[in-house]
Amino acid sequence: MNKNYYAIIMAGGIGSRFWPISRTSHPKQFIDILGTGKTLIQNTYDRFLSVCPKENIYVVTNEIYTDLVKAQLPDVADHQILTEPVMRNTAPCVAYGCYKIESQNPDAAIVVAPSDHLILNEAAFIATIEKSLKTASENNCLITLGIKPSRPDTGYGYIQYSDDTLNDEFHKVKNFTEKPSLDVAKTFVESGDFLWNAGIFVWSGKAIVDEFSKHLPDMHTIFADARTVYNTESEKSHVHTVYADCANISIDYGIMEKAENVYVLPSEFGWSDLGTWASIYDLTNKDEAGNALIPAEKVIMYNSTNCMVNVPEDKLVILKGLHDFIVVESNNTLLICPRSEEQNVKQVVADVKQRFGVAYI
């Protein structure tokens, strides 16, 4: 196993679109949302054990989730858990992990991935990551993984690529587009030169540090100046002090859309970002009426079709005459809404917070 290969798992989100199961105190990456016996972050960590040594896997998360990470990933040492005092989107998260790794190993090649995605074909995923790490080690480039779209989905970002290639497989990126309208998404899919943005990135430590210095110089200064405290007792206090000075910006907008040396690898490994209840519905076994029931033992459906139901194991639930709905109960909260309106769950969470405070959030 290549000791210059590293992984950064981003695990700081709150997963509000999966409310009420996903809460601020216990978000979706720490939940076995698919009933596999492992949480999403545990599955993500296990995948990277096949890519790099376990001591080279870092988790960047909000400080309030430190104990959850330790409990669910007991093999991860304290110095591998990088905590954020405040939420500042993905650019500072990526910078913290990459600058720390680059400072201790200038030859590092790094994969950065979310903690809450589903990968069905793990062998293909591992082969894709290893190929990308090798290419990143040998070339001054930033690599993103793109998924061939199966439908015109408005919930994903899209990557347009050109015929110019690196190593015959990595295509030069032309444009990034965030969550287009349905008509635009249809045009993208029909064109054949657009991919879904999986939010998985690969680069050398040197390459990403160089791009931060060019495009986010203030953030570069913050994390470059911290090189003297990485892996010391002062690291946490110093980083927490300066973190508030970081811009609230995504790695996509801050770096990937601006850099000149960005390449995409068209990939197929059974990917889903598990971003909405619709994605869970698509992946769950269904009864003859198209209902996805978790768990199925104590849910009785009468004249009901195409519903997504997720309720506590000890709860008996009877639904009659319900079609194309989401029914979710957790943490003393019941949510019932049409599947077609699931994108509005974030607004519901905001309304609940405004009316009742954080008790139900």
Side-chain angles (χ1 to χ4, degrees), residues 17 19 22-23 27 51 57 84 97 127 146 165 180 201 208 213 227-230 244 274 276 284 293 315 336 360:
R17 284 182 292 182
W19 182 85
S22 180
R23 295 290 185 101
V51 173
I57 301 176
E84 304 170 285
T165 61
F201 309 104
I208 191 62
S213 70
R227 285 190 173 109
T228 58
V229 301
Y230 292 139
L274 297 182
T276 63
T284 304
L293 312 176
K315 178 79 67 172
I336 303 173
Y360 295 93

Side-chain angles (χ1 to χ4, degrees), residues 130-149:
E130 289 178 337
K131 182 189 304 180
S132 300
L133 286 166
K134 184 176 187 297
T135 298
S137 299
E138 297 170 349
N139 298 273
N140 178 32
C141 62
L142 309 183
I143 296 168
T144 182
L145 302 188
I147 308 298
K148 184 177 180 180

Side-chain angles (χ1 to χ4, degrees), residues 45-174:
Y45 176 79
D46 287 350
R47 280 194 293 272
F48 285 125
L49 286 175
S50 299
V51 173
C52 59
K54 69 178 182 179
E55 61 269 21
N56 288 8
I57 301 176
Y58 290 79
V59 178
V60 186
T61 190
N62 192 288
E63 184 180 18
I64 64 174
Y65 303 139
T66 303
D67 289 341
L68 279 171
V69 173
K70 289 182 177 180
Q72 295 198 5
L73 304 177
D75 285 346
V76 174
D78 288 354
H79 73 274
Q80 294 170 260
I81 303 173
L82 313 186
T83 60
E84 304 170 285
V86 291
M87 295 181 68
R88 282 292 186 269
N89 216 312
T90 54
C93 158
V94 170
Y96 183 11
C98 289
Y99 277 69
K100 175 169 176 164
I101 291 169
E102 184 267 348
S103 71
Q104 64 192 35
N105 184 354
D107 297 321
I110 306 164
V111 53
V112 180
S115 58
D116 53 3
H117 288 186
L118 174 71
I119 307 296
L120 292 175
N121 189 339
E122 297 203 354
F125 174 80
I126 292 165
T128 298
I129 296 299
E130 289 178 337
K131 182 189 304 180
S132 300
L133 286 166
K134 184 176 187 297
T135 298
S137 299
E138 297 170 349
N139 298 273
N140 178 32
C141 62
L142 309 183
I143 296 168
T144 182
L145 302 188
I147 308 298
K148 184 177 180 180
S150 58
R151 61 187 181 277
D153 198 303
T154 61
Y156 293 146
Y158 287 74
I159 303 169
Q160 185 182 26
Y161 63 92
S162 72
D163 292 331
D164 296 336
T165 61
L166 179 67
N167 293 352
D168 296 328
E169 294 183 89
F170 296 81
H171 290 257
K172 192 82 163 56
V173 170
K174 293 172 69 175

Side-chain angles (χ1 to χ4, degrees), residues 300-305 318-323:
I300 303 174
M301 309 290 284
Y302 295 99
N303 186 32
S304 297
T305 59
I318 297 95
L319 299 175
K320 186 173 184 179
L322 205 62
H323 306 280

Side-chain angles (χ1 to χ4, degrees), residues 333-347:
T333 303
L334 174 65
L335 172 70
I336 303 173
C337 77
R339 284 175 52 205
S340 61
E341 298 180 20
E342 69 164 355
Q343 294 286 353
N344 296 329
V345 171
K346 274 193 170 184
Q347 184 58 51

